[in-house]
Amino acid sequence: MVRVWDRVVRGFHWALVLSFVTAWLTSHSSEDIHHWAGYAAAALVSMRLLWGVIGTPYARFTQFLRDPATVVQYLLAILSGREARYIGHNPAGGAMVIVLIAAMALTALTGWLMATDAFFGVSWVEAAHSLAAHGLLLLVLLHIGGVVLASFRHRENLVRAMVTGQKRKAEPADIA
């Protein structure tokens, strides 16, 4: 086994899951809890952006961000069942991290704007928040599907890896 995900990445991931689920479940029932879950998500995203620059090697954006052509090639390889195993994020997973962070930031920002004097009750801000939140839910479901597929294809429990921080050591065909 090899240590891949540090405590900051794992703590961020599960705290963001908790804040998103809390915000989603309280969106129509408890405004205070919903707001605090959104503030927590915004703080977590800010922390992750910093950690993506100064964090441990597998946490850094430079380790897992790939150009769009590489992401498309990886997605095509998935369709043919020939995608490589990556020790860190694969190209699709790396792209999903960025898209999820951006969607969470947009959702938090529009939610915060709705609570300001300048944008309270403004219909386009409310619509943007709703669209961002629902889009984020779809992205989360796509993310979960990708994790399940990669876990199955590479015979590796990625959920457990995000709990323990450890993955199976690289084999000759794997990409570190």
Side-chain angles (χ1 to χ4, degrees):
M1 300 299 283
V2 62
R3 170 80 60 196
V4 177
W5 311 124
D6 62 51
R7 288 182 184 187
V8 174
V9 168
R10 295 185 337 255
F12 158 80
H13 180 272
W14 295 113
L16 195 62
V17 168
L18 180 62
S19 66
F20 176 72
V21 169
T22 300
W24 187 267
L25 294 176
T26 61
S27 64
H28 298 294
S29 61
S30 178
E31 192 173 287
D32 286 343
I33 294 172
H34 181 79
H35 288 174
W36 282 109
Y39 295 143
L44 287 163
V45 164
S46 298
M47 183 274 310
R48 183 61 180 98
L49 290 174
L50 178 62
W51 197 244
V53 175
I54 67 168
T56 57
Y58 285 107
R60 292 184 190 153
F61 298 130
T62 55
Q63 194 280 327
F64 63 83
L65 287 183
R66 306 294 197 287
D67 62 277
T70 301
V71 174
V72 169
Q73 286 174 334
Y74 187 81
L75 292 171
L76 292 172
I78 289 174
L79 294 176
S80 67
R82 297 181 181 172
E83 75 277 7
R85 176 179 174 261
Y86 283 70
I87 301 305
H89 285 98
N90 64 51
M96 182 57 84
V97 168
I98 297 307
V99 171
L100 283 168
I101 286 174
M104 185 66 75
L106 179 63
T107 305
L109 174 64
T110 55
W112 172 74
L113 286 174
M114 288 172 52
T116 65
D117 290 339
F119 293 100
F120 180 79
V122 175
S123 61
W124 72 264
V125 176
E126 292 175 2
H129 183 67
S130 179
L131 183 63
H134 286 87
L136 183 56
L137 178 61
L138 291 175
L139 289 168
V140 165
L141 294 173
L142 186 61
H143 170 62
I144 291 169
V147 167
V148 169
L149 179 64
S151 293
F152 175 75
R153 289 270 183 88
H154 300 294
R155 288 173 259 117
E156 179 168 56
N157 186 332
L158 294 178
V159 175
R160 181 173 47 219
M162 191 50 77
V163 171
T164 66
Q166 297 183 349
K167 291 178 77 175
R168 191 174 73 243
K169 287 191 298 188
E171 297 171 5
D174 295 342
I175 300 171

